[in-house]
Amino acid sequence: MNTLVANRVVAVPVAAPPGQWIGAGGSMIMESDKQTGVARKHYIGMVTMLDILAHIAAADDQDEKLGAKMSAPVSAVIGHCLEGLSLWTLNPSTSIMDCMEVLSKGIHRALVPVDSHMANVAGVELVESASSYKMLTQMDLLKFFMKDHSELQRTMARTLAELGAVNENVYAITGRTRVIDAIKCMKAALLNAVPIVVACNSIEDDSKQLINGKGRKLIGTFSSTDLRGWHFATLQTWLPLTALEFTETVVSSPLHAVSPDSPTTESRELVTATAGSSLLEVIQKAVTKHVHRVWVVDSEGLLTGVVSLTDIVKALRVSLLGNEAV
């Protein structure tokens, strides 16, 4: 958790001594000495903030059990969420289009070898050896296109509705849902964030389960990234809070500022769009607010859907493929 906090990231690859572990998905992604070629590390998977939260959520509010879970090796945490069980590399010669194909299918990040030892290879690889690696994420792609989108101007100007980019299946929690129950729901549904909606008095909402958020009033967002800055002493206090209470607590923490120079209150601003918003507007919001999804609402602030980074990358790729066809 300290590594994630210090580097302001939500996931890190996990390395082990060579020959002692099976890599995620049967992968053999090695880090080797640049001079001798001798393997130094074997990347065996990815650990995300949601993995850690799902791991400790089972401790509930039992202090002793929570302490034991916090001292567990990271190998015990990998795989709580499916993303940690897959590890992808993209050869440096892979085209942007091929990168987009991978990242438009729900894969959020991939390792890129700085000096690949694999000759004449492009695309996704499960076997790789290099002296060091970098990480390519969906957010990196969007930032790349933000700098120069001359080939995508027409697509960027189109609305979410025109592009069919809105996912209308949006699952939510209510303001009454406790943090620990929200984490368990997110783990079960493989979600890194959920919208918080107003509890409906006329309907008996189950605060321990995800509900259909469509048509409900959006009042907040509960994200796994919100919890990465809290230290052990604090972890024992937030589990019983409601998710809404916790998000209000986050506002006062300097650990959750969008940037070192920005006020912390910006981090809790609801990042939303409408079906009539342009794709460029949505990308700008995602990049500047550093969020991985934008909630879609109507004129009254009622949820109508969500647009994730996966949805955005997919829309951009379809547009570029169309341009190539022309």
Side-chain angles (χ1 to χ4, degrees), residues 161-172:
E162 291 171 338
L163 293 166
V166 180
N167 183 348
E168 296 184 355
N169 297 317
V170 56
Y171 298 101

Side-chain angles (χ1 to χ4, degrees), residues 15-142:
Q20 297 185 18
W21 295 79
I22 298 175
S27 61
M28 284 290 291
I29 301 173
M30 313 298 291
E31 183 175 304
S32 54
D33 185 273
K34 192 169 186 177
Q35 301 301 324
T36 66
V38 175
R40 297 179 302 198
K41 297 179 182 178
H42 178 196
Y43 289 101
I44 61 171
M46 193 81 67
V47 63
T48 70
M49 191 62 208
L50 189 54
D51 284 319
I52 296 174
L53 296 178
H55 176 73
I56 63 178
D60 207 348
D61 56 356
Q62 302 171 43
D63 295 353
E64 307 83 8
K65 195 173 180 181
L66 181 59
K69 283 185 173 287
M70 289 300 291
S71 62
V74 72
S75 57
V77 179
I78 298 176
H80 275 283
C81 303
L82 287 180
E83 187 176 3
L85 293 177
S86 62
L87 194 59
W88 304 84
T89 66
L90 288 167
N91 192 275
S93 61
T94 305
S95 70
I96 293 295
M97 282 297 292
D98 287 341
C99 290
M100 293 177 74
E101 180 181 10
V102 174
L103 297 178
S104 68
K105 295 179 177 178
I107 297 170
H108 300 150
R109 52 189 65 82
L111 295 174
V112 180
V114 173
D115 52 351
S116 175
H117 295 171
M118 308 299 289
N120 303 316
V121 173
V124 177
E125 285 296 311
L126 292 177
V127 178
E128 182 59 86
S129 178
S131 63
S132 61
Y133 293 83
K134 292 186 176 182
M135 186 85 78
L136 177 71
T137 68
Q138 291 175 324
M139 186 66 77
D140 293 328
L141 268 185
L142 296 192

Side-chain angles (χ1 to χ4, degrees), residues 50 171-172 183 185-194 210 224 293:
L50 189 54
Y171 298 101
I183 293 171
C185 288
M186 290 160 63
K187 175 192 174 185
L190 303 178
L191 298 172
N192 286 298
V194 286
L210 291 174
S224 61
R293 80 266 327 135

